[in-house]
Amino acid sequence: VSVDIIGPINSLESFRSNDPSMGYYFMLFLDQFSNYAWIYQLETKSQAPDFLDKFLEDIQTYTVSLGSLVRQFRLDGAKEFDSALWNGILRINGIGGSEITPARTPQLNAHAERYFGTIARDARALLAQAGLPDSYADSAFLHSVYIRNRLVSDSSAGVTPYQHILCRRPNLSHIRAWGSDAWVVDTHAHLFKLDARASYGILIGYGDSGHMINAPAGALTRYTNAAVIKLHPSGKVVLNRHVRIDESSVINRIATRPR
């Protein structure tokens, strides 16, 4: 499994406020055989051991289809990959150490480096197409990985990474244009007669076989088979299965954009 960290990814707001702490990182675990990727968002690089633990926990779901656990990691010599905590987690999980590439030789971890370059291009394209600000970049990165795990490539012999890992074809029937307008049904029990029954938001990803919407501030609510929606104007992110999505809104934004 190739491992790498990209970042800090800074938004325009962080540059304007001169606050580098507003940036964030992504940590990638890329299976070299199947090209299936797991990606996690970090606030600091020092969180790397925590997300190594989370990755090793997450792949327990796939051990039956993989036939074996992770045997070795390939990564660069960054200090976050060479701590006592990191090495202790490897030892506890019976992983035979790491293959560490020399300094300034990204080509030796090219699998992960190229993958990060690819999803960064995807994220820029998604933001440009949807006409959304770079504050949505984190969701664009995660969406790119979600889609690429379900696509065939020139080197995959017609088999998706998802199929390699889970031994079944992915269901793509729930996929909609990223950044589309969405309306989420309000499921609160106590609504007045004239209260709106739906909230407006933006489609930013998918939950378990469903969608994700960017909504007004609060905790992430989890449902089965749901969309992740970011609601406006509060910015709350909700995961809900009761969603209407208008894909034509992305096309309309492109058509009305000044040239």
Side-chain angles (χ1 to χ4, degrees):
V1 174
S2 293
V3 184
D4 201 9
I5 292 180
I6 186 175
I9 297 171
N10 298 93
S11 66
L12 184 60
E13 290 80 2
S14 69
F15 283 114
R16 285 175 174 166
S17 62
N18 196 28
D19 181 9
S21 66
M22 290 180 69
Y24 51 88
Y25 299 82
F26 281 114
M27 186 173 183
L28 173 73
F29 295 88
L30 184 63
D31 177 35
Q32 293 190 1
F33 173 71
S34 66
N35 217 38
Y36 192 95
W38 293 260
I39 191 167
Y40 303 95
Q41 188 174 337
L42 288 65
E43 291 182 9
T44 65
K45 287 187 176 183
S46 61
Q47 291 180 304
D50 298 333
F51 284 92
L52 170 63
D53 229 356
K54 177 164 174 47
F55 165 70
L56 293 172
E57 207 174 282
D58 289 348
I59 63 167
Q60 298 302 318
T61 312
Y62 307 95
T63 52
V64 174
S65 50
L66 283 171
S68 65
L69 296 174
V70 175
R71 297 189 179 177
Q72 193 174 54
F73 289 112
R74 172 177 288 181
L75 37 78
D76 59 33
K79 62 182 180 181
E80 58 267 17
F81 299 140
D82 193 26
S83 65
L85 184 54
W86 178 278
N87 293 325
I89 294 169
L90 297 185
R91 203 162 41 248
I92 290 168
N93 287 275
I95 299 171
S98 303
E99 184 181 308
I100 299 175
T101 60
R104 300 180 187 83
T105 57
Q107 65 272 22
L108 296 183
N109 195 19
H111 205 176
E113 298 283 352
R114 283 198 302 268
Y115 194 92
F116 261 139
T118 299
I119 63 173
R121 286 193 296 271
D122 288 349
R124 287 194 298 271
L126 286 166
L127 291 169
Q129 174 183 276
L132 293 175
D134 57 6
S135 56
Y136 285 79
D138 53 346
S139 302
F141 271 91
L142 296 173
H143 178 72
S144 171
V145 173
Y146 183 91
I147 295 297
R148 288 200 169 272
N149 280 340
R150 290 157 176 77
L151 293 178
V152 296
S153 65
D154 293 339
S155 60
S156 66
V159 180
T160 65
Y162 182 97
Q163 196 171 343
H164 266 303
I165 292 291
L166 292 171
C167 300
R168 64 175 183 267
R169 291 183 178 179
N171 178 6
L172 304 179
S173 62
H174 61 285
I175 302 292
R176 299 291 183 271
W178 186 85
S180 295
D181 288 349
W183 283 263
V184 184
V185 174
D186 193 334
T187 54
H188 286 102
H190 304 291
L191 290 173
F192 292 105
K193 295 295 184 187
L194 298 180
D195 284 348
R197 269 21 182 195
S199 299
Y200 167 71
I202 302 288
L203 173 67
I204 59 169
Y206 304 93
D208 299 331
S209 306
H211 312 84
M212 282 180 157
I213 315 294
N214 192 290
L220 185 67
T221 310
R222 295 203 168 273
Y223 300 86
T224 306
N225 299 328
V228 181
I229 310 291
K230 189 167 186 178
L231 298 180
H232 289 274
S234 66
K236 176 183 177 184
V237 175
V238 298
L239 189 57
N240 199 314
R241 64 182 302 175
H242 306 294
V243 177
R244 288 288 180 92
I245 295 168
D246 178 15
E247 293 183 277
S248 67
S249 59
V250 174
I251 299 169
N252 292 338
R253 276 184 228 141
I254 295 170
T256 57
R257 199 172 297 162
R259 296 179 183 275

